[in-house]
Amino acid sequence: MTTTALFDKLWNEYVERTPSAEKVKDLFESQGNTIANDHVAFRTFDDPRVNIDVLATTFINNGYEYKGDYHFPKKKLYAKHYEHKTDKNAPLVFISQLITSEFSVETQSIIKSTLDTVDFNTVSPEALVFSGRLWDIPSYDLYSRLLNESEYAAWLYVNGFCSNHFTINVNALDTFNSLEAVNTFLKTNGFKMNTSGGEIKGSPELYLEQSSILADTIIIDFEEGAKEVTSCYYEFAYRYTKQGELFKGFIANSADKIFESTNVINTLS
């Protein structure tokens, strides 16, 4: 699979869960812009069957390499980012994982027992990023228990393995020259921004500014009946030059707030 085919497949699955992303893309294109993708992000657990290194397999096999890692003590997460070895225009990849050992015995048990229901002999590491939820119909009771401790864990329990968000490269837009202008355009067109930590996370001094709209919502069929939960969201990134080149990394404090784009309390309130 070529890099283009890989991200096209991910995009097609992503917009099925995130119809607002297609609307946003169309809006920017209607203003004369060609959309370039800055990065794609994924969520997972630190279980050795599905951890970051397993999820990264399809990207490693398509020419990517590890470039940096990040720690999120408050959310009890760890992440790595990857860049393509030769194609400087290829999207970056950001994969985070829940550090399950730092949660209650109950949460650890829910996660382990859920993963134990999956026959991983039938799921290749290369296919994991496309697999969605591999386990049976979720329980709303278990979802609620996870939500009490970790929004991230609850989100992953119902959404499974998929692109958590795509990101528009604001630097590549033709008719917008700042993230503030992008945010204003989005709000004018009825999209709600993630305001946790401010609409714009980061700064020129950190070489990266990020913003995002709130996640879409989807109806999930739980054992107890259909319920509305959050799915995925669209992000926007503006990068600054560092030592003669555009900064290619991420800022942990900013990413910490971007994670909250899927928070149920923000989206469903």
Side-chain angles (χ1 to χ4, degrees), residues 180-269:
E180 184 177 7
V182 164
N183 290 354
T184 298
F185 178 68
L186 291 164
K187 289 184 291 184
T188 299
N189 282 279
F191 292 94
K192 294 182 179 180
M193 307 301 298
N194 169 2
T195 58
S196 179
E199 279 189 8
I200 294 178
K201 295 86 163 106
S203 67
E205 292 73 25
L206 294 172
Y207 307 105
L208 174 63
E209 292 178 336
Q210 296 167 269
S211 67
S212 59
I213 57 175
L214 293 178
D216 280 17
T217 59
I218 54 175
I219 301 298
I220 293 288
D221 289 324
F222 289 94
E223 292 176 352
E224 298 90 336
K227 304 284 186 180
E228 189 177 23
V229 300
T230 58
S231 59
C232 310
Y233 61 94
Y234 217 170
E235 186 184 322
F236 314 89
Y238 188 88
R239 297 181 179 274
Y240 292 85
T241 301
K242 181 179 183 181
Q243 298 175 344
E245 294 184 355
L246 281 182
F247 176 66
K248 282 292 190 83
F250 295 88
I251 307 300
N253 286 343
S254 298
D256 185 85
K257 300 303 182 184
I258 289 288
F259 279 123
E260 296 176 18
S261 300
T262 59
N263 279 14
V264 171
I265 192 171
N266 294 334
T267 306
L268 298 182
S269 59

Side-chain angles (χ1 to χ4, degrees), residues 58-195:
T58 190
F59 302 104
I60 298 297
N61 290 347
N62 278 275
Y64 277 76
E65 61 183 351
Y66 160 78
K67 280 293 184 178
D69 64 351
Y70 310 86
H71 298 268
F72 305 90
K74 290 183 179 179
K75 290 185 172 60
K76 302 172 184 177
L77 303 173
Y78 170 70
K80 293 181 179 180
H81 103 259
Y82 300 81
E83 298 176 22
H84 199 279
K85 294 177 183 177
T86 57
D87 184 356
K88 300 305 179 184
N89 294 318
L92 307 177
V93 173
F94 185 91
I95 309 176
S96 58
Q97 66 184 21
L98 194 76
I99 306 172
T100 53
S101 62
E102 296 187 8
F103 288 87
S104 68
V105 171
E106 180 183 43
T107 288
Q108 292 182 56
S109 176
I110 292 171
I111 293 168
K112 184 180 183 303
S113 61
T114 297
L115 292 173
D116 283 348
T117 65
V118 180
D119 181 2
F120 284 100
N121 291 320
T122 65
V123 183
S124 69
E126 292 87 352
L128 193 57
V129 292
F130 307 108
S131 298
R133 191 179 67 240
L134 292 167
W135 39 92
D136 291 336
I137 298 174
S139 157
Y140 191 74
D141 175 60
L142 295 183
Y143 169 78
S144 300
R145 293 186 196 181
L146 290 173
L147 193 59
N148 284 335
E149 281 202 67
S150 168
E151 186 277 334
Y152 183 109
W155 184 94
L156 194 49
Y157 174 63
V158 294
N159 286 282
F161 306 105
C162 61
S163 304
N164 171 257
H165 65 267
F166 271 64
T167 309
I168 286 182
N169 176 353
V170 176
N171 299 74
L173 296 176
D174 294 316
T175 65
F176 296 84
N177 58 11
S178 71
L179 193 56
E180 184 177 7
V182 164
N183 290 354
T184 298
F185 178 68
L186 291 164
K187 289 184 291 184
T188 299
N189 282 279
F191 292 94
K192 294 182 179 180
M193 307 301 298
N194 169 2
T195 58

Side-chain angles (χ1 to χ4, degrees), residues 25-33 174-176 185 189:
K25 181 173 179 289
D26 289 345
L27 272 172
F28 280 104
E29 289 177 339
S30 73
Q31 300 296 305
N33 297 281
D174 294 316
T175 65
F176 296 84
F185 178 68
N189 282 279

